[in-house]
Amino acid sequence: MSNKGIIQSNKSSFSTLYRLVDMLLITAVLFTLLIILDKKIDSEVMVLLFVNIVSYNLCAEALDLYRSWRTASTTLMIKSVTIGWMISTFVTSTFAYLFPGLVHLDNFIVISWLIISVVALTSWRIVFRQILFHHRRQGHNSRKAIVIGATASGYSLSNQIIDNERLGIIFSGIYDDRTIDRIPHEFSNQIAGNIEDAINKAKNGEIDYVYIALPMSAEKRISHILHLCSDTTASVYLIPNFFMYNLINARWQNVGSIQTLSVYDTPFQGGSELLKRLEDVVLSILILTLIAIPMLIISAAVKFTSPGPVIFKQNRYGLDGKKITIYKFRSMTSMDNGDVVKQATKNDARITPLGAFLRKTSLDELPQFINVMHGNMSIVGPRPHAVAHNEQYRKLVEGYMLRHKVRPGITGLAQVNGLRGETETINKMVKRVEYDLEYIHRWTVWLDIKIILKTVFNGFRNKNAY
């Protein structure tokens, strides 16, 4: 028996071309500069080039840069290329700085190479993309497609095909066995025939793509249609009505010869996990260097203004729901860490005068950068809650525990949208969880950077923190 699943993950036919062109452009820009400036192409050049290409390829994989961009915007494509290049530029520059014995290139050459390369990487993509779009609009390399099933998902797909002519797909109608009076009115004008008509068109070679948009409950019917389609040369696609679920980073995975679809999964696997960890380590080192003296001053202030330890340790849930210990500057006279933890409220008598200032400005959370260095937290992610609060809210808020598919963060999407501090109503926690799940679903390095910048500029004046 073959070890391959019956469904193969979709890869752009241009992905190999894109990788080769990227590497050739990066290399060509550097070599051209060296030749123009009458510099040698030696082992030092090749080491720096190797580091740059490897780091860029890792970033490109993490950002899914080599997927098909047919339906994505040009702006998003340029942004992804730029972010990937910025990160690889940082890695390359850091390598050159840390290992001066290996690299002696002139700074002007390196800077010129990095700037010209990002222009080249984005420019060739824009030009090639426009050529492809023009080619498809002229009717070249086009494919004919039909949809089986007059359903909401089938109707949505047909509209997407019609509205995006640059895809090079010609929509040829929806096919359904129901009579017109049983078909929703908004779909009726697109009905081109019954399912038998659709299969006959595919058998006659008139159709290239068949999209089956029947509900998941129609398993036997779908199986029969697939059997009929096996006697055609058309490419067949299933559109399961997964919109009823809140999918989190769904992807196909092989378990031996069986293919499974993940419904709730983490965005951090492979290259993206490495990229996220690299982001955390590099930024934490820079931030800890900047805040070392302020942290010493705060430590002394906490020690001399109220009795008790400087650092407050509390158990919280981390990645995969495992308990972690987080660090904060102590801001209260009591330190709850048991089965019952009372949230801080306005004018809470437990909060010390200095603690009120630390909590209001978020300075009490600075020691959590040590958690980030340890690897049990991230700079950006869902805020961790006390174990007692987790056990309370997991029973009340649907999807609450999905927050733990990623490492908890010092700041997050919910916090920069004003959801920080006391959650005295269940609606506030529901909204916070919605933002957390949105972050997991939408994660990119660029999103992390935007959240960090918003935290820096807005995080020190939060009226909801007590």
Side-chain angles (χ1 to χ4, degrees):
M1 182 183 290
S2 171
N3 288 328
K4 294 183 178 180
I6 59 172
I7 301 175
Q8 301 300 316
S9 50
N10 182 36
K11 291 289 185 182
S12 169
S13 57
F14 293 112
S15 61
T16 302
L17 171 66
Y18 274 63
R19 287 182 174 88
L20 288 174
V21 173
D22 280 353
M23 287 189 287
L24 287 173
L25 276 177
I26 294 169
T27 304
V29 170
L30 179 59
F31 284 6
T32 301
L33 282 170
L34 292 171
I35 292 171
I36 291 174
L37 297 173
D38 196 25
K39 301 291 183 180
K40 293 191 302 180
I41 300 176
D42 53 19
S43 58
E44 295 177 6
V45 172
M46 300 308 295
V47 168
L48 193 65
L49 179 63
F50 175 77
V51 171
N52 180 266
I53 288 178
V54 169
S55 60
Y56 178 69
N57 271 273
L58 285 173
C59 294
E61 291 297 333
L63 295 166
D64 208 10
L65 193 57
Y66 296 119
R67 65 179 175 86
S68 172
W69 289 87
R70 276 195 176 202
T71 58
S73 68
T74 301
T75 302
L76 180 60
M77 181 180 69
I78 294 172
K79 184 186 293 185
S80 299
V81 173
T82 304
I83 291 171
W85 185 252
M86 285 172 62
I87 296 171
S88 64
T89 294
F90 178 79
V91 173
T92 306
S93 302
T94 303
F95 177 84
Y97 176 77
L98 294 177
F99 302 98
L102 294 176
V103 180
H104 293 98
L105 279 180
D106 185 272
N107 287 338
F108 173 77
I109 295 177
V110 175
I111 293 172
S112 299
W113 169 45
L114 297 176
I115 292 174
I116 296 172
S117 291
V118 71
V119 174
L121 291 171
T122 54
S123 297
W124 92 263
R125 278 176 165 79
I126 294 171
V127 172
F128 187 59
R129 184 180 174 87
Q130 292 306 314
I131 291 172
L132 286 176
F133 286 170
H134 177 75
H135 191 63
R136 289 168 185 151
R137 288 191 185 101
Q138 300 302 313
H140 304 296
N141 193 30
S142 62
R143 301 289 185 269
K144 290 184 179 180
I146 60 172
V147 173
I148 293 180
T151 61
S153 56
Y155 184 63
S156 296
L157 176 69
S158 64
N159 285 337
Q160 287 296 313
I161 294 173
I162 293 169
D163 293 341
N164 292 277
E165 59 179 12
R166 62 188 182 184
L167 298 176
I169 301 175
I170 301 171
F171 177 63
S172 299
I174 296 177
Y175 291 79
D176 198 294
D177 279 343
R178 291 176 293 176
T179 57
I180 292 295
D181 59 298
R182 293 178 55 212
I183 292 174
H185 174 70
E186 62 268 28
F187 309 152
S188 58
N189 65 330
Q190 292 190 10
I191 300 300
N194 57 33
I195 295 177
E196 184 179 354
D197 295 331
I199 299 299
N200 287 334
K201 281 183 172 293
K203 284 183 177 180
N204 295 333
E206 300 175 35
I207 300 299
D208 300 291
Y209 298 153
V210 176
Y211 294 96
I212 302 175
L214 297 176
M216 295 174 64
S217 56
E219 180 181 354
K220 290 184 179 179
R221 196 174 177 201
I222 293 172
S223 178
H224 178 63
I225 293 171
L226 289 174
H227 172 70
L228 295 176
C229 287
S230 67
D231 189 33
T232 76
T233 58
S235 298
V236 182
Y237 302 88
L238 285 175
I239 314 172
N241 54 337
F242 283 133
F243 55 79
M244 67 180 68
Y245 304 107
N246 181 20
L247 300 186
I248 302 292
N249 297 291
R251 58 170 67 88
W252 292 107
Q253 291 184 341
N254 285 324
V255 181
S257 61
I258 304 298
Q259 197 130 24
T260 63
L261 177 68
S262 63
V263 178
Y264 303 131
D265 208 345
T266 174
F268 303 125
Q269 294 189 4
S272 59
E273 181 180 17
L274 175 63
L275 185 60
K276 177 70 168 176
R277 185 61 186 146
L278 178 65
E279 171 196 319
D280 283 335
V281 171
V282 171
L283 290 178
S284 292
I285 291 173
L286 293 175
I287 293 170
L288 283 170
T289 302
L290 294 172
I291 66 175
I293 294 177
M295 284 181 68
L296 288 174
I297 295 172
I298 294 172
S299 299
V302 172
K303 185 67 177 176
F304 292 117
T305 56
S306 63
V310 170
I311 299 296
F312 166 54
K313 300 178 182 179
Q314 188 179 59
N315 294 329
R316 302 199 176 184
Y317 283 152
L319 181 64
D320 297 326
K322 296 176 181 177
K323 285 185 181 180
I324 63 172
T325 301
I326 70 158
Y327 308 127
K328 298 178 72 173
F329 284 123
R330 182 176 55 81
S331 58
M332 290 184 172
T333 55
S334 66
M335 295 179 287
D336 298 335
N337 196 23
D339 295 334
V340 178
V341 177
K342 182 183 176 183
Q343 284 190 337
T345 58
K346 191 172 185 179
N347 300 319
D348 197 317
R350 299 172 298 165
I351 301 176
T352 65
L354 175 63
F357 170 75
L358 295 178
R359 296 172 74 92
K360 199 73 174 178
T361 58
S362 301
L363 293 174
D364 61 321
E365 295 172 359
L366 293 182
Q368 287 171 30
F369 283 102
I370 299 173
N371 284 105
V372 176
M373 291 299 295
H374 285 172
N376 51 26
M377 284 187 69
S378 181
I379 294 177
V380 182
R383 282 294 298 156
H385 301 145
V387 171
H389 295 156
N390 260 46
E391 295 303 321
Q392 173 189 356
Y393 286 116
R394 70 188 301 179
K395 299 172 185 176
L396 302 174
V397 182
E398 183 180 359
Y400 179 88
M401 291 302 289
L402 294 177
R403 304 167 70 251
H404 302 293
K405 299 305 296 181
V406 299
R407 289 184 179 88
I410 297 174
T411 185
L413 190 60
Q415 284 64 48
V416 297
N417 281 282
L419 293 169
R420 178 174 174 264
E422 183 186 8
T423 52
E424 68 275 14
T425 66
I426 190 66
N427 288 336
K428 282 191 175 182
M429 183 56 75
V430 169
K431 195 65 180 175
R432 183 179 289 189
V433 171
E434 287 176 358
Y435 274 115
D436 290 338
L437 298 186
E438 182 184 352
Y439 168 77
I440 296 172
H441 182 70
R442 289 174 47 205
W443 177 82
T444 62
V445 172
W446 179 241
L447 179 59
D448 276 359
I449 293 171
K450 287 197 291 186
I451 291 173
I452 291 170
L453 291 176
K454 284 185 178 180
T455 301
V456 170
F457 290 111
N458 301 327
F460 296 102
R461 39 190 174 90
N462 196 312
K463 62 181 180 181
N464 298 320
Y466 306 129

